[in-house]
Amino acid sequence: MVKEFMEKVIQKNPGEVEFHQAVREVVESLEPFLVKNPQYTKAKILERIVEPERVIMFRVPWTNDKGEIQINRGFRIQMNSAIGPYKGGLRFHPTVYLGILKFLAFEQVFKNSLTGLPMGGGKGGSDFDPKGKSDNEVMRFCQSFMTELCRHIGADTDVPAGDIGVGGREIGYMYGQYKRLRNEFTGVLTGKGLAWGGSLIRPEATGYGATFLAIEMLKTRNISPAGKICAVSGSGNVAQYTIEKLTQLGAKAVTLSDSNGFIHDPAGIDAKKLEFVMELKNVRRGRIKEYADKFNCDYYEGKRPWGIKCDMAFPSATQNEIDKQDAETLVKNGCMCVSEGANMPSTPEAVEVFLKGKILYGPGKAANAGGVATSGLEMSQNSLRLSWTREEVEKRLQDIMINIHDTCVKYGKESDGFVNYVNGANIGGFVKVADAMLAQGLV
Ligand code: NDP
């Protein structure tokens, strides 16, 4: 069944390799479940769920600081609205094309369902590269991008958030432009600033959530995070707050990376050093190499951190950043837990190594769902016109991650007691969306 299904998906979506990869993983997980539950196959839920409800692609013209005209391409994939308005981030990165955004939108459908909140799945972005651009250039780009996007989104229709290359600065510029064009102050984007409708803990949410899921996984083997050595990749939003929470829990994060290379700090990236990283990455927008110069540790140009001996790994940069060999090295070095802050950071071959090694492996759909879950909480606060306290939002986030863990165990526990979190997340995320699609008829 998987083979024939995938042949059709590949034929219909030529060249979109990341999308094929994401669909194949889900279909492989679902196959035994679908055999036992034929109502989904009869209603062609799988064929429907891989087809976006809508794809919007548009021109984004803007001028750089020299007055030269630049043209980028903008996208919004409205993948599935069976259980709520489309919800998912915007990515600004030169590698962005339809295949990347369709993979992310597809994953988002299952992830959002897993959170238990009423959110459909979507994703969008542009091949615009914010790196090296001035604030004014980023603002002009964001304004042009939103000038088109605003026709297609809305608080009850589609609510984008951040992703790679889209942080508080970009959300601010886009929100300002939306407000100006529509003359409404509404929860149309999440990840907003605190003074204008944002939620406490939203910046922290994805990293904190990936850490909470790791803790829940460790608990199944009666292991405490205290003193554990952690390899973290990336140095953006997700990596920063993963390290913050790990440190609070007594674990020791020893690596950080960006697209140029990684640093290894065996003494641990403590709160003070993390402050430096946040200033370096969020304000000065510099390279991670500066960390090694400042704190006198090793820097590995053009390398990824998976060769460093660790107890836990938190890939928090980008897709396919752990290949088979990296996975083998991690398992050989005693890594007992991988919690994916990034989306699809492990190749299918790497995932196989983790599952064969029977380590605690939390796939992105489950592990990084805390980000969108807290975006959902931001939407609730916007609708209520209230702001919850830090403690309240963090408690809700933690409860959601515990529920996600329980769902994975429910659908992913194998006969020998091993929990296959990949199957658990895929089946657990699928059921609610598929049942809603059945109930809503042929839409
Ligand atoms: P940021 O833009 O804040 O940071 C991204 C980090 O990853 C940077 O250090 C960046 O380095 C590095 N990176 C990006 N692309 C590549 C690449 N091709 N090769 C090597 N390194 C790369 O993004 P986020 O932290 O928000 O996102 C990181 C991951 O987490 C993504 O996979 C995203 O989809 C996922 N995620 C994010 C959520 C969120 O709430 N922000 C929610 C759920 C998932 P450089 O600066 O050199 O490009």
Side-chain angles (χ1 to χ4, degrees):
M1 179 277 240
V2 175
K3 190 163 172 282
E4 294 90 77
F5 185 81
M6 284 313 301
E7 274 169 11
K8 282 196 200 129
V9 169
I10 292 166
Q11 191 197 5
K12 269 192 128 173
N13 304 277
E16 297 174 4
V17 288
E18 297 84 3
F19 180 59
H20 306 160
Q21 183 182 336
V23 172
R24 186 188 302 278
E25 185 211 278
V26 169
V27 177
E28 281 175 354
S29 278
L30 286 177
E31 191 178 20
F33 179 79
L34 294 178
V35 171
K36 282 195 214 131
N37 296 277
Q39 70 273 26
Y40 301 120
T41 308
K42 188 157 170 265
K44 299 230 161 143
I45 295 293
L46 224 46
E47 285 82 350
R48 283 152 68 184
I49 218 166
V50 296
E51 207 57 59
E53 289 178 12
R54 194 173 297 104
V55 173
I56 301 144
M57 189 164 114
F58 49 98
R59 179 203 300 159
V60 189
W62 57 283
T63 49
N64 68 13
D65 286 344
K66 293 188 202 138
E68 295 159 348
I69 294 169
Q70 310 288 311
I71 313 293
N72 284 99
R73 189 172 273 185
F75 303 87
R76 187 71 184 164
I77 317 294
Q78 298 183 332
M79 199 74 195
N80 194 302
S81 63
I83 62 167
Y86 309 106
K87 179 93 198 85
L90 296 170
R91 176 175 292 191
F92 292 169
H93 195 271
T95 56
V96 162
Y97 79 107
L98 211 47
I100 294 257
L101 295 180
K102 276 169 68 181
F103 121 61
L104 290 163
F106 183 73
E107 295 261 306
Q108 198 81 45
V109 173
F110 300 86
K111 183 189 307 185
N112 293 5
S113 164
L114 275 176
T115 66
L117 300 175
M119 299 182 290
K123 199 83 190 189
S126 174
D127 57 1
F128 173 74
D129 187 359
K131 235 177 268 163
K133 305 287 190 300
S134 71
D135 284 351
N136 269 325
E137 288 175 322
V138 171
M139 182 178 71
R140 284 197 295 276
F141 171 81
C142 287
Q143 290 181 337
S144 180
F145 182 83
M146 185 50 86
T147 301
E148 175 57 34
L149 187 69
C150 77
R151 304 168 208 272
H152 310 287
I153 61 174
D156 295 317
T157 312
D158 183 353
V159 184
D163 190 74
I164 292 177
V166 178
R169 173 182 63 168
E170 291 76 16
I171 293 288
Y173 294 150
M174 286 191 276
Y175 192 69
Q177 183 72 351
Y178 182 88
K179 199 160 52 64
R180 189 172 168 208
L181 292 166
R182 304 299 281 255
N183 195 23
E184 56 182 42
F185 195 105
T186 176
V188 70
L189 293 171
T190 57
K192 300 187 290 297
L194 277 183
W196 37 281
S199 173
L200 287 159
I201 300 289
R202 176 59 189 94
E204 293 88 338
T206 308
Y208 278 22
T211 312
F212 291 148
L213 189 87
I215 303 302
E216 291 308 305
M217 293 196 288
L218 289 177
K219 272 191 204 158
T220 64
R221 297 189 183 174
N222 294 318
I223 301 169
S224 149
K228 297 287 174 297
I229 306 294
C230 303
V232 179
S233 66
S235 47
N237 171 272
V238 179
Q240 291 169 15
Y241 288 104
T242 296
I243 293 182
E244 182 168 283
K245 186 49 77 183
L246 284 171
T247 309
Q248 286 171 9
L249 293 169
K252 194 199 264 189
V254 296
T255 65
L256 274 168
S257 71
D258 59 22
S259 47
N260 294 90
F262 82 93
I263 62 100
H264 178 212
D265 184 353
I269 302 158
D270 60 18
K272 200 95 202 110
K273 292 172 179 172
L274 186 59
E275 219 175 274
F276 169 83
V277 174
M278 289 183 174
E279 208 263 332
L280 171 71
K281 286 290 171 182
N282 309 345
V283 182
R284 286 196 286 123
R285 301 181 192 276
R287 309 313 298 158
I288 202 61
K289 183 178 183 302
E290 282 186 47
Y291 180 104
D293 301 337
K294 167 105 180 153
F295 298 111
N296 197 23
C297 68
D298 289 333
Y299 171 72
Y300 299 85
E301 178 79 22
K303 295 253 168 13
R304 299 182 291 209
W306 314 123
I308 299 297
K309 194 168 159 42
C310 64
D311 303 306
M312 300 203 266
F314 292 84
S316 312
T318 193
Q319 62 275 354
N320 294 327
E321 55 167 316
I322 300 184
D323 63 18
K324 184 175 183 217
Q325 205 185 337
D326 297 325
E328 284 169 350
T329 308
L330 282 165
V331 174
K332 190 170 76 176
N333 281 343
C335 177
M336 63 177 92
C337 175
V338 176
S339 189
E340 295 184 338
N343 282 306
M344 208 167 74
S346 309
T347 64
E349 298 75 26
V351 174
E352 215 179 298
V353 172
F354 295 145
L355 294 178
K356 271 211 185 108
K358 304 237 166 188
I359 67 161
L360 299 164
Y361 167 64
K365 258 184 223 100
N368 67 42
V372 73
T374 309
S375 276
L377 301 178
E378 181 173 332
M379 289 165 72
S380 302
Q381 293 170 79
N382 291 162
S383 298
L384 291 167
R385 302 202 187 281
L386 281 175
S387 299
W388 295 330
T389 62
R390 216 182 147 77
E391 291 70 31
E392 188 163 0
V393 182
E394 187 166 340
K395 173 77 175 67
R396 283 177 194 264
L397 166 64
Q398 196 167 9
D399 288 346
I400 289 171
M401 295 314 296
I402 292 172
N403 277 335
I404 290 175
H405 182 266
D406 292 348
T407 304
C408 291
V409 173
K410 177 175 168 192
Y411 290 103
K413 197 168 196 159
E414 298 182 345
S415 50
D416 63 354
F418 172 69
V419 181
N420 183 323
Y421 289 88
V422 178
N423 288 345
N426 286 334
I427 301 169
F430 174 80
V431 173
K432 191 168 139 195
V433 177
D435 285 344
M437 289 171 77
L438 284 181
Q440 290 168 18
L442 197 52
V443 287

